[in-house]
Amino acid sequence: MSFEPWMLAAMEDNGYMNTEYGLNMRVAKYLVENGSDDIGNDEFRDACEACGVDPDSITQKDLDEIQSKLDELT
């Protein structure tokens, strides 16, 4: 089975891909589903670890993407 480009984009946007963007979306979705309005450093690190993302590898660009997705989902 081959995938259409929109299918790959949808999988990435829902956090199913292990790309940088996909991992960021995975963390954002986890935070929305399990978080609160005020997300602290410990809660963020726990979310990263639960999603299989090294919290020490998160850059400011990643944080901006995650925040953007959180704003969109909430």
Side-chain angles (χ1 to χ4, degrees), residues 2-3 12 22 26 34-36 52 66 69:
S2 62
F3 292 101
E12 188 175 48
R26 188 180 307 165
N34 300 297
S36 62
I66 292 169
K69 190 65 171 182

Side-chain angles (χ1 to χ4, degrees), residues 5-54:
W6 68 268
M7 294 172 175
L8 296 173
M11 289 189 304
E12 188 175 48
D13 204 35
N14 284 291
Y16 296 118
M17 308 277 284
N18 285 333
T19 61
E20 181 180 1
Y21 181 77
L23 294 173
N24 291 341
M25 295 307 100
R26 188 180 307 165
V27 172
K29 285 184 156 293
Y30 181 90
L31 288 169
V32 167
E33 293 169 2
N34 300 297
S36 62
D37 291 337
D38 186 29
I39 300 167
N41 189 45
D42 290 336
E43 187 176 10
F44 180 76
R45 293 182 74 77
D46 290 344
C48 287
E49 291 173 5
C51 293
V53 177
D54 179 10

